[in-house]
Amino acid sequence: MFESNEVRADTSTKTVLDTLDTPKELPLPSDFVWGAATAAYQVEGAAEQDGKGPSIWDEFSHRVPSVTSGEHGDVACDHYNRLDEDIALLSSYGVDVYRFSICWSRLIPLGGRNDPVNEKGIAFYNNLIDGLLARGIKPAVTLYHWDLPLELHKRYGGMLNTNEFQADFENYARLCFSRFGDRVQQWITFNEPYIVSLFGYHSGILAPGHSTQTGHDSTTEPWRVGHSLVLAHALAVQTYVTDFQSSQKGAISIVLNSDFYEPYDATSDADKEAAHRRLEFYVGWFGDPIYLGTDYPASMRKQLGSRLPEFSDAEKELLKKTASHNTFYGMNHYTSQFARARTEPATEDDHTGNVEELTTNKEGVEMGPLSGVSWLRVTHKQFRKLLNWAWNRYQRPIYITENGCPCPGENSMTLEQAVDDQFRVRYFGLYIDAISQAINEDGVKVAGYYAWSLMDNFEWAAGYSIRFGITHVDFSSGTRTPKKSAAYLKETFTKRRAAEANGKTANGKI
């Protein structure tokens, strides 16, 4: 959601839509839940309000020269000060769930286990949770969505110091469980640890901006950070299960993102193996130790050698002990690619499994029609395959915790054009169809879908240049305007869930 660049629409909306399949509006289970998602730094604003401390993103987005085109999240959508309005908006959309993240430095401004708690930050999230529940909306809470307290990064390098980070994260998680857990039934520890590790400590395009080019070691840092995230997650799960779950009755897990990969040459065994290996480097890196309680995938050990940290005996025991308590699989997914095996040896800082990623295959066929950003193509058929891959490997009910797209040229449109977001409507319809097919034809357990995003927001390194929201935001005034996709989601989930009982598609056809 944060890579460059906006794709401008040079043709009519109808012409663009002609490149997409037509949704079949397939049925979903009657207990399937849907909602919308956001992240604290992307929407809250209030960067220094009511005692909040700075995060690595507050520092990163204000660097000179700028890495975000001079844009930042100081105000963003001003969600912090427009809370009642946004809860009412969610209610009008008929959502079952709102997935949001807590800003660690809003609760503990300095971040550490011996640092003071900010009660005004606690009050904000209490008001949010209570406001949601009053309107019949369940909160799904992410503890960490990329905004590490800046002080922890300064003190000991943040996630580069596994022991210190693990202890401070466990303390922060315990605070959240104790203050909010009586009303929260779904906890997510970390959002997209793959992105945190590689985009923050390899390419450096996200906070804290570490890369070889900035004087850091891209050959080792991402793997150390990933290791810290796995172990901090496991400790937080143990804390929740041991001290809170019996009384609070909630569930806890993690959110892993991934593209799906098709072989560049469908007849090549090397490319088939490369596609599978790419998924292991992407998903298995975190999924195997967390859900299976095992070591990292053998393909990673083989290539990375000593650069991939080892688990101690105590850490292995912790992973085995907590694996079964990760009772759902959180999946963020947007697009897919082709994978081609490289013939030359892997470079020292390779993180793909020595795989080249492409948008066209050997025959020159594109993976799918282009959306409003250059990295996101409509690949709903591959989404179904990813659902099967994750289900077969980990056997956990899947929640789609993020999925969505920007329309071509959306950021350059008038308000009237932007809210008529037919490309996004079509995208949603096709991806929801893929979920139905995975459930009803493949036997995959998919329990919920949270659209990204509730509203246009600060899209990380892309700033405000691309829009993923089902609500249009005028960033100069803060005005929210529902897009047609919001109404579509409300209607389609109502129809699709009702259709299951009748054995029909949601549009009434057998």
Side-chain angles (χ1 to χ4, degrees), residues 32-104:
F32 191 92
V33 298
W34 86 277
T38 63
Y41 187 76
Q42 295 183 266
V43 299
E44 282 184 2
E48 298 178 354
Q49 192 171 330
D50 291 339
K52 176 190 172 294
S55 75
I56 55 174
W57 264 97
D58 288 302
E59 186 276 333
F60 185 73
S61 63
H62 283 85
R63 286 183 187 175
V64 179
S66 175
V67 291
T68 58
S69 301
E71 297 175 330
H72 48 71
D74 287 7
V75 177
C77 303
D78 201 25
H79 177 63
Y80 187 85
N81 294 302
R82 305 179 73 136
L83 190 59
D84 292 342
E85 176 185 358
D86 289 341
I87 293 173
L89 191 69
L90 282 159
S91 180
S92 73
Y93 293 167
V95 301
D96 305 303
V97 177
Y98 176 44
R99 180 194 169 206
F100 63 91
S101 77
I102 292 175
C103 174
W104 185 342

Side-chain angles (χ1 to χ4, degrees), residues 101-105 107-108 111 113 142-144 147 167-177:
S101 77
I102 292 175
C103 174
W104 185 342
S105 61
L107 298 193
I108 310 174
R113 52 198 182 274
T142 304
L143 293 173
Y144 185 85
D147 48 358
D168 281 340
F169 182 76
E170 190 273 342
N171 174 74
Y172 160 62
R174 180 180 291 275
L175 174 67
C176 292
F177 299 150

Side-chain angles (χ1 to χ4, degrees), residues 313-340:
D313 289 343
E315 290 165 348
K316 290 177 183 177
E317 189 60 31
L318 175 65
L319 293 172
K320 290 178 183 177
K321 183 179 178 181
T322 57
S324 63
H325 296 293
N326 296 281
T327 52
F328 65 91
Y329 183 100
M331 176 187 289
N332 289 359
H333 175 75
Y334 293 89
T335 195
S336 300
Q337 302 184 62
F338 292 106
R340 180 165 62 184

Side-chain angles (χ1 to χ4, degrees), residues 227-421:
H227 198 69
S228 297
L229 292 170
V230 168
L231 292 171
H233 164 85
L235 184 58
V237 169
Q238 178 176 263
T239 295
Y240 183 71
V241 170
T242 302
D243 296 341
F244 298 96
Q245 193 173 46
S246 62
S247 60
Q248 296 179 356
K249 310 298 183 184
I252 189 168
S253 194
I254 196 167
V255 161
L256 305 181
N257 68 299
S258 182
D259 297 354
F260 186 76
Y261 292 87
E262 299 275 16
Y264 170 77
D265 180 351
T267 67
S268 166
D269 289 339
D271 286 354
K272 292 176 185 177
E273 292 170 5
H276 180 74
R277 187 168 65 253
R278 184 69 190 97
L279 281 168
E280 289 193 326
F281 268 68
Y282 212 136
V283 182
W285 178 9
F286 300 97
D288 284 13
I290 287 171
Y291 290 109
L292 304 179
T294 62
D295 193 14
Y296 299 117
S299 60
M300 297 184 71
R301 284 276 176 221
K302 180 180 179 181
Q303 178 176 312
L304 298 173
S306 62
R307 289 188 289 133
L308 190 62
E310 298 282 351
F311 293 112
S312 68
D313 289 343
E315 290 165 348
K316 290 177 183 177
E317 189 60 31
L318 175 65
L319 293 172
K320 290 178 183 177
K321 183 179 178 181
T322 57
S324 63
H325 296 293
N326 296 281
T327 52
F328 65 91
Y329 183 100
M331 176 187 289
N332 289 359
H333 175 75
Y334 293 89
T335 195
S336 300
Q337 302 184 62
F338 292 106
R340 180 165 62 184
R342 292 193 173 107
T343 55
E344 65 276 10
T347 58
E348 192 176 16
D349 68 344
D350 174 69
H351 62 276
T352 66
N354 207 24
V355 174
E356 183 180 6
E357 302 175 338
L358 301 159
T359 59
T360 57
N361 66 9
K362 185 180 179 181
E363 285 72 41
V365 177
E366 292 187 340
M367 176 56 76
L370 194 60
S371 72
V373 279
S374 59
W375 58 268
L376 198 164
R377 293 176 178 271
V378 183
T379 59
H380 50 289
K381 295 177 182 177
Q382 285 69 37
F383 176 42
R384 178 181 177 180
K385 294 180 181 181
L386 181 62
L387 290 169
N388 275 270
W389 191 94
W391 170 254
N392 290 333
R393 194 173 182 101
Y394 301 121
Q395 293 288 303
R396 299 293 197 286
I398 299 170
Y399 286 83
I400 308 306
T401 40
E402 288 183 26
N403 178 245
C405 73
C407 300
E410 186 170 5
N411 203 43
S412 305
M413 293 178 179
T414 65
L415 175 61
E416 182 180 12
Q417 292 169 329
V419 299
D420 188 20
D421 57 340

Side-chain angles (χ1 to χ4, degrees), residues 141 143 176-177 180-181 184-189 240 251-253 328:
V141 179
L143 293 173
C176 292
F177 299 150
F180 311 127
V184 175
Q185 294 296 294
Q186 187 173 47
W187 290 102
I188 294 160
T189 54
Y240 183 71
I252 189 168
S253 194
F328 65 91

